[in-house]
Amino acid sequence: MGKRLDTHLRETAKQHVPLWLDAWSYGTRVLRKGSAAPWEDLGALVAFHRQLQGLVRSDIIAIDGTDFYRHWLDSHPRLLAAMAEKPRLGYALRTLLADNAARQQLRETVAALCDCYPEQPVVLALPSPRAWMAGAYARAHASDDVEVSWDDAESAAMYMADFLRNFSDCGLGGLLLIDPMSGGPACDAELERYRPVMNVAENYRWQLALLGTASAFRPNADHPSLYAIADLSADTAGAIPGEHFWSTGELPGDARPLFWYVEVPEDAVPESVLERLETLRGTAA
């Protein structure tokens, strides 16, 4: 089992406010001159990830599963064609997640990165069930007009739950489920539609984080290991400093999150990035 998020956050907070950084696009621009991450070469991928971590020093190690599958479909047109063989909404996602070659490649990547960072929690970042069902259908059918109901989202969560069992012994510390900003669950009843994924996380003692929930939503006390991440106006465990911060370096004086969730702009200047990150680390918890 990997290191738990809550334990690591408490330990890190004794020194500085923990930073959970999404610097994937920024890292590919700076370290690979805009070329895609080398997902097809495990050794090169691990080396790139270590370079990126050395550049930004995130307190939480994230693996961008969305980028992995984007690259995989670019490289495997037959799978993309198979996803489009039937028009049912869930067929594309079910076909994608059932692909053994992709699952094995991602599993090996996750296991290798967990081995690289034994002292930090490693989190697999994926679209939420609802977002992934919409995205898979849109990619397969070249359509942006996709509506996914919460009933459909529950079906997607069952597909994802089966898929996630492949990572049971990799050493993961958690999962991050990403919805379009403010497009995720807005109440506990909607969150329950992700229950199959939540059950897998609880079974393997992975802590769960949600990015993109409705801004006013707070998980109830029945979910003590669940972190909601929202903008600064929201009273959530993880706070997003927002685009204004990158241009001005200013934060509200009363901002006291448990941790900062930071998406580093792809076009950011490295010197400015280092300065801004030091500002965030110095905010009082």
Side-chain angles (χ1 to χ4, degrees), residues 142-223:
S143 172
D144 294 329
D145 186 20
V146 185
E147 291 290 334
V148 178
S149 70
W150 285 106
D151 285 340
D152 295 324
E154 189 167 13
S155 296
M158 289 188 283
Y159 306 155
M160 279 188 69
D162 180 66
F163 162 78
L164 288 168
R165 292 186 182 97
N166 291 278
F167 306 95
S168 61
D169 60 350
C170 288
L172 278 173
L175 296 174
L176 173 64
L177 301 183
I178 304 173
D179 275 295
M181 194 53 63
S182 298
C187 60
D188 284 306
E190 291 177 351
L191 177 61
E192 279 299 311
R193 299 307 186 105
Y194 295 170
R195 172 54 61 183
V197 172
M198 294 164 66
N199 286 343
V200 169
E202 290 172 4
N203 185 50
Y204 298 130
R205 299 190 68 191
W206 299 335
Q207 293 185 280
L208 192 63
L210 304 177
L211 178 62
T213 58
S215 59
F217 173 62
R218 306 291 178 276
N220 65 35
D222 293 336
H223 308 296

Side-chain angles (χ1 to χ4, degrees), residues 39-62:
W39 289 108
E40 72 285 350
D41 184 330
L42 182 57
L45 191 283
V46 170
F48 165 67
H49 205 290
R50 291 176 71 92
Q51 281 185 293
L52 179 57
Q53 177 62 6
L55 191 65
V56 298
R57 295 186 295 119
S58 179
D59 294 305
I60 308 299
I61 304 299

Side-chain angles (χ1 to χ4, degrees), residues 3-242:
K3 189 164 188 179
R4 287 178 60 89
L5 273 173
D6 54 2
T7 301
H8 190 68
L9 290 171
R10 284 196 303 268
E11 292 173 352
T12 304
K14 296 175 183 177
Q15 303 172 10
H16 61 81
V17 178
L19 301 189
W20 182 339
L21 304 179
D22 175 359
W24 201 253
S25 296
Y26 169 74
T28 55
R29 180 185 69 82
V30 172
L31 299 173
R32 294 183 56 81
K33 309 303 180 185
S35 297
W39 289 108
E40 72 285 350
D41 184 330
L42 182 57
L45 191 283
V46 170
F48 165 67
H49 205 290
R50 291 176 71 92
Q51 281 185 293
L52 179 57
Q53 177 62 6
L55 191 65
V56 298
R57 295 186 295 119
S58 179
D59 294 305
I60 308 299
I61 304 299
I63 302 172
D64 192 336
T66 301
D67 192 65
F68 169 82
Y69 271 103
R70 185 185 300 115
H71 178 83
W72 188 270
L73 288 176
D74 287 343
S75 305
H76 296 79
R78 289 185 180 179
L79 175 57
L80 186 60
M83 291 164 57
E85 286 179 356
K86 295 183 180 179
R88 296 196 303 272
L89 178 60
Y91 186 81
L93 178 61
R94 191 170 186 176
T95 302
L96 176 66
L97 297 184
D99 186 80
N100 286 327
R103 288 196 299 189
Q104 182 62 22
Q105 180 73 23
L106 182 57
R107 186 192 179 284
E108 290 176 1
T109 301
V110 170
L113 288 171
C114 287
D115 286 343
C116 280
Y117 302 105
E119 301 303 319
Q120 292 172 273
V122 178
V123 175
L124 179 58
L126 295 167
S128 74
R130 192 181 188 201
W132 212 352
M133 179 175 274
Y137 184 93
R139 181 75 189 268
H141 297 277
S143 172
D144 294 329
D145 186 20
V146 185
E147 291 290 334
V148 178
S149 70
W150 285 106
D151 285 340
D152 295 324
E154 189 167 13
S155 296
M158 289 188 283
Y159 306 155
M160 279 188 69
D162 180 66
F163 162 78
L164 288 168
R165 292 186 182 97
N166 291 278
F167 306 95
S168 61
D169 60 350
C170 288
L172 278 173
L175 296 174
L176 173 64
L177 301 183
I178 304 173
D179 275 295
M181 194 53 63
S182 298
C187 60
D188 284 306
E190 291 177 351
L191 177 61
E192 279 299 311
R193 299 307 186 105
Y194 295 170
R195 172 54 61 183
V197 172
M198 294 164 66
N199 286 343
V200 169
E202 290 172 4
N203 185 50
Y204 298 130
R205 299 190 68 191
W206 299 335
Q207 293 185 280
L208 192 63
L210 304 177
L211 178 62
T213 58
S215 59
F217 173 62
R218 306 291 178 276
N220 65 35
D222 293 336
H223 308 296
S225 296
L226 190 151
Y227 295 105
I229 303 170
D231 60 40
L232 271 176
S233 64
D235 180 23
T236 51
I240 303 169

Side-chain angles (χ1 to χ4, degrees), residues 241-251 263 265 267-269 272-273 275-276:
E243 294 181 6
H244 177 73
F245 169 72
W246 289 101
S247 60
T248 67
E250 297 177 357
L251 292 167
E263 184 174 352
D267 59 354
V269 178
S272 176
V273 170
E275 181 181 329
R276 294 290 186 265

